[in-house]
């Protein structure tokens, strides 16, 4: 009877603890100002899953049929679409935020005994809420949590992995590490370095090869190998020249804000580097130092090198992404160390303990309260955005076979696919990863940009006819003030004070349709032969 009672008490205590962490995760997601569907990267990362589940007519969208670089993440999103519960991502983001808070607190506790005093834990959490931006914003405009659910947020599993390793749970550490890289393959280089550190540290401590050192490594390899093999096979270079051209497009055009050190390096990054260095000195006698060392060394070597020399093949890997792990670790080390040093000031004085806890809780409440109106405004502003009206019209008037041309560089039209299931020719934000597909994506963008630069002037009309003939575009969205004199055959089907939508004559895309039919007949002939 007493055993049953103890089990119930433990279960109740665990449930209570879990509830507290989830509440903190919800508050932290408000502190971060969670953005509505569909925001920025979600329009890229959700696309393959949306197309597979029949969202609108996205199965006819060229981009949705390119190679998917995120199979596990797409599977998760696809499952949510199939269940009709895509809004669950609003819950998953706070859950992952809770994992972040839990891992950070656990790391500080393993290093310095932070949990010896509840007031210290609350003070540490208050620091995380106050410095929500600086803690998770890495170098090269990379970040860990950001403002919404996307693959990079699963990087919190790397921090959870490190917390588990410090707790002596090596198998769990390797499992969480592999899972982070599976959800976002860009974390694979960091994961490989960290797993290497786990193995090296364990072998050094034990002075011999044991199952405790090898089993976690084998687990990591077995979980990660399928992803690596898939990527190597599907995204293998078509040829060295084509690969070089594609990587140059990405490095110098599409993601130059991430890849070019001269574009992103600023004083905030130097401060971040100093914090990482200070934290590593503070933790130099701990296991965490050896986990951080290869991650920091990668930044130390690649940032100066790529500042002076351009190497697209290395730049697109953004090796400084390790900073999104290093900076939270630095804050956990420095914050935990400082708070523990302050323990003597309030450890034996009840009034001081109460004051510290109250100050911490009030700080969390104030920071969350200040961001709540911003959070609500973000959602209401999204629904009232000027482009929503034309997107809504397009959603209700698009049929199978339609293809829309939208302003490819305008960020407000990044969500046109996901908002209405509308197939579009191209946009700048959403790019593929296979080398030939990158080149084709860039070609489409140049054609679209050429048209929008000239709008419906004589030259623009010729470009539009070319786009229609090549790709079958039959609808176009333009700024409301765009003159349509050079496109007299086009029919205006929507107009408001912001945008106008036109339908192109069917004859403009007839060449494309004829070519498609010929291709299909040729394929059938080849099959028969």
């Amino acid at each position: 009877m007493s055993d049953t009672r103890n089990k119930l008490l433990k279960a109740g205590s665990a449930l209570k603890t879990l509830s507290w962490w989830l509440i903190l995760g919800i508050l932290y997601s408000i502190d971060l100002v969670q953005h509505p569907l569909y925001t920025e990267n979600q329009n890229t990362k959700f696309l393959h899953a949306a197309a597979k589940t029949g969202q609108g007519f996205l199965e006819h969208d060229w981009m949705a049929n390119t190679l998917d670089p995120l199979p596990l993440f797409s599977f998760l999103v696809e499952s949510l679409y199939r269940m009709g519960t895509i809004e669950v991502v609003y819950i998953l983001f706070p859950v992952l935020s809770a994992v972040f808070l839990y891992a950070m607190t656990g790391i500080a506790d393993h290093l310095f005994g932070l949990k010896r005093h509840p007031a210290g834990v609350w003070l540490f959490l208050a620091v995380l809420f106050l410095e929500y931006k600086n803690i998770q914003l890495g170098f090269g405009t990379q970040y860990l949590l950001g403002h919404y659910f996307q693959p990079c947020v699963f990087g919190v599993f790397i921090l959870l992995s490190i917390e588990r390793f410090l707790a002596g749970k090596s198998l769990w550490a390797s499992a969480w590490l592999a899972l982070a890289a599976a959800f976002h393959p860009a974390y694979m280089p960091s994961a490989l370095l960290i797993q290497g550190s786990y193995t090296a540290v364990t072998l050094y401590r034990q002075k011999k090869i044991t199952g405790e050192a090898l089993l976690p490594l084998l687990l990591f390899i077995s979980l990660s190998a399928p992803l690596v093999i898939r990527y190597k096979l599907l995204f293998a270079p078509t040829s060295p020249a084509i690969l070089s051209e594609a990587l140059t497009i990405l490095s110098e055009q599409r993601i130059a804000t991430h890849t070019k050190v001269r574009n992103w390096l600023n004083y905030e990054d130097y401060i971040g580097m100093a914090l990482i260095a200070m934290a590593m000195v503070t933790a130099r006698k701990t296991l965490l130092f050896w986990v951080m060392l290869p991650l920091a060394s990668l930044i130390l070597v690649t940032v100066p090198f790529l500042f002076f020399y351009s190497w697209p093949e290395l730049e697109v890997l953004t090796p400084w992404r390790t900073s999104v792990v290093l900076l939270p670790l630095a804050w956990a080390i420095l914050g935990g160390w400082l708070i523990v040093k302050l323990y003597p000031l309030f450890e034996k004085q009840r009034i001081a303990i109460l004051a510290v806890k109250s100050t911490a809780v009030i700080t969390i409440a104030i920071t969350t309260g200040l961001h709540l109106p911003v959070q609500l405004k973000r959602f209401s502003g999204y629904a009232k955005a000027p482009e929503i009206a034309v997107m809504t019209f397009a959603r209700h008037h698009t049929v199978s076979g339609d293809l829309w041309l939208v302003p490819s560089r305008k960020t407000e039209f990044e969500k046109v696919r996901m908002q209405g299931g509308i197939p579009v020719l191209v946009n700048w934000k959403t790019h593929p990863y296979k080398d030939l597909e990158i080149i084709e994506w860039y070609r489409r963008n140049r054609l679209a940009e050429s048209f929008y630069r000239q709008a419906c002037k004589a030259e623009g009309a010729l470009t539009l006819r070319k786009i229609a003939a090549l790709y079958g575009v039959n609808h176009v969205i333009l700024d409301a003030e765009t003159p349509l004199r050079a496109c007299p055959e086009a029919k205006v089907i929507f107009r408001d004070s912001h945008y106008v939508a036109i339908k192109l004559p069917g004859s403009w895309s007839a060449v494309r349709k004829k070519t498609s039919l010929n291709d299909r007949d040729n394929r059938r002939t080849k099959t028969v032969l």
Side-chain angles (χ1 to χ4, degrees):
M1 188 72 175
S2 59
D3 289 342
T4 303
R5 183 182 178 187
N6 288 335
K7 289 180 180 178
L8 289 173
L9 288 174
K10 288 181 180 179
S13 177
L15 183 60
K16 182 180 178 181
T17 301
L18 178 62
S19 299
W20 270 112
W21 284 114
L22 288 176
I23 291 170
L24 286 169
I26 292 170
L27 296 178
Y28 204 62
S29 69
I30 296 173
D31 204 33
L32 292 165
V33 186
Q34 185 176 183
H35 290 189
L37 285 169
Y38 292 95
T39 297
E40 296 177 1
N41 289 339
Q42 285 181 338
N43 299 302
T44 299
K45 313 304 184 184
F46 287 22
L47 180 57
H48 286 89
K52 287 181 181 178
T53 52
Q55 304 300 311
F57 297 98
L58 291 178
E59 69 271 19
H60 303 304
D61 190 291
W62 174 80
M63 181 62 209
N65 289 283
T66 59
L67 289 176
D68 185 1
L70 304 165
L72 186 58
F73 183 81
S74 293
F75 175 77
L76 172 59
V77 177
E78 181 182 340
S79 300
L80 295 178
Y81 273 123
R82 292 193 186 281
M83 293 185 292
T85 55
I86 190 62
E87 289 78 12
V88 168
V89 300
Y90 289 127
I91 300 173
L92 292 177
F93 185 72
V95 168
L96 292 171
S97 298
V99 172
F100 172 77
L101 297 175
Y102 173 84
M104 290 283 285
T105 305
I107 290 168
D109 180 55
H110 294 313
L111 293 178
F112 308 110
L114 181 69
K115 294 181 181 178
R116 287 203 315 265
H117 208 301
V121 174
W122 281 107
L123 194 57
F124 181 79
L125 289 170
V127 171
L128 298 185
F129 272 78
L130 277 174
E131 295 294 332
Y132 67 95
K133 180 180 179 181
N134 296 326
I135 288 172
Q136 55 95 36
L137 186 60
F139 306 149
T141 65
Q142 308 282 353
Y143 47 84
L144 184 65
L145 288 169
H147 303 285
Y148 51 90
F149 181 77
Q150 58 176 315
C152 73
V153 184
F154 285 92
V156 300
F157 288 161
I158 297 179
L159 295 177
L160 182 60
S161 166
I162 294 171
E163 187 275 330
R164 290 291 81 198
F165 179 72
L166 295 178
K169 307 294 183 181
S170 297
L171 282 172
W172 278 110
S174 295
W176 286 117
L177 191 60
L179 192 61
F183 272 106
H184 196 27
Y187 285 131
M188 184 58 74
S190 298
L192 289 170
L193 290 174
I194 293 170
Q195 183 60 53
S197 296
Y198 290 169
T199 305
V201 166
T202 306
L203 288 173
Y204 178 80
R205 293 176 68 188
Q206 296 182 345
K207 307 297 182 183
K208 59 181 180 179
I209 298 175
T210 64
E212 186 179 346
L214 293 183
L215 283 178
L217 176 61
L218 292 174
L219 177 63
F220 176 81
I221 292 173
S222 64
L223 293 175
S224 301
L227 176 72
V228 175
I229 293 171
R230 176 188 182 273
Y231 194 88
K232 288 292 185 182
L233 291 175
L234 293 182
F235 294 90
T238 303
S239 72
I242 291 174
L243 178 65
S244 178
E245 182 182 354
L247 294 181
T248 300
I249 289 170
L250 289 183
S251 176
E252 298 184 359
Q253 298 287 332
R254 171 58 186 87
I255 54 174
T257 53
H258 299 308
T259 58
K260 295 298 182 183
V261 177
R262 290 177 180 269
N263 288 353
W264 59 257
L265 188 62
N266 58 37
Y267 75 94
E268 292 179 343
D269 300 309
Y270 290 118
I271 293 173
M273 292 175 188
L275 287 174
I276 292 170
M278 290 169 58
M280 291 180 67
V281 171
T282 304
R284 64 190 180 280
K285 296 181 180 180
T286 69
L287 295 179
L288 185 54
F289 172 84
W290 299 104
V291 174
M292 297 175 70
L293 183 60
L295 302 179
S297 299
L298 188 62
I299 294 175
L300 184 63
V301 171
T302 58
V303 169
F305 176 76
L306 292 175
F307 184 87
F308 294 103
Y309 300 98
S310 177
W311 188 2
E313 289 82 355
L314 180 57
E315 289 170 337
V316 295
L317 295 175
T318 56
W320 35 87
R321 185 182 288 272
T322 59
S323 61
V324 303
V325 176
L326 287 170
L327 280 169
L329 291 176
W331 280 93
I333 292 168
L334 297 175
W337 176 84
L338 180 59
I339 289 169
V340 169
K341 289 295 182 182
L342 295 175
Y343 273 1
L345 299 179
F346 60 82
E347 197 166 22
K348 296 180 181 179
Q349 301 179 39
R350 295 187 62 182
I351 296 178
I353 293 172
L354 182 61
V356 170
K357 289 179 70 174
S358 300
T359 301
V361 172
I362 290 171
T363 299
I364 293 172
I366 289 175
T367 55
T368 305
L370 289 174
H371 285 101
L372 183 57
V374 182
Q375 172 84 87
L376 297 175
K377 185 178 179 180
R378 175 72 62 173
F379 277 77
S380 62
Y382 183 93
K384 298 175 182 177
E387 67 276 4
I388 292 297
V390 69
M391 288 186 190
T392 301
F393 174 86
R395 181 174 72 246
H396 292 310
H397 292 81
T398 297
V399 298
S400 181
D402 285 349
L403 184 62
W404 288 73
L405 179 64
V406 301
S408 57
R409 290 275 187 164
K410 281 196 171 185
T411 57
E412 51 265 46
F413 283 96
E414 291 171 359
K415 57 182 176 286
V416 64
R417 287 184 174 110
M418 303 304 302
Q419 185 70 28
I422 304 164
V424 302
L425 176 70
V426 72
N427 71 13
W428 185 250
K429 179 69 174 179
T430 302
H431 69 86
Y433 289 82
K434 178 69 175 176
D435 50 12
L436 277 175
E437 293 173 345
I438 292 170
I439 292 170
E440 169 59 20
W441 165 84
Y442 188 56
R443 179 194 183 201
R444 290 169 176 242
N445 265 289
R446 284 188 298 175
L447 279 171
E449 290 163 16
S450 175
F451 164 69
Y452 279 106
R453 277 197 305 270
Q454 304 165 44
C456 273
K457 298 176 183 177
E459 298 84 354
L462 292 175
T463 304
L464 186 57
R465 282 177 175 270
K466 181 179 179 180
I467 292 172
L470 281 173
Y471 300 109
V473 166
N474 58 356
H475 291 81
V476 183
I477 294 177
L478 300 154
D479 289 332
E481 64 273 13
T482 303
L484 301 177
R485 291 187 299 275
C487 300
E489 299 174 71
K491 178 183 178 183
V492 176
I493 55 176
F494 172 88
R495 182 186 290 276
D496 66 7
S497 57
H498 303 286
Y499 298 101
V500 59
I502 61 174
K503 184 176 181 179
L504 305 182
S507 59
W508 286 24
S509 56
V511 176
R512 170 64 179 172
K513 291 178 181 178
K514 184 177 179 180
T515 302
S516 299
L517 288 172
N518 289 338
D519 290 343
R520 186 176 64 189
D521 291 340
N522 289 336
R523 286 195 296 270
R524 286 176 177 173
T525 303
K526 290 178 182 178
T527 303
V528 172
L529 293 174

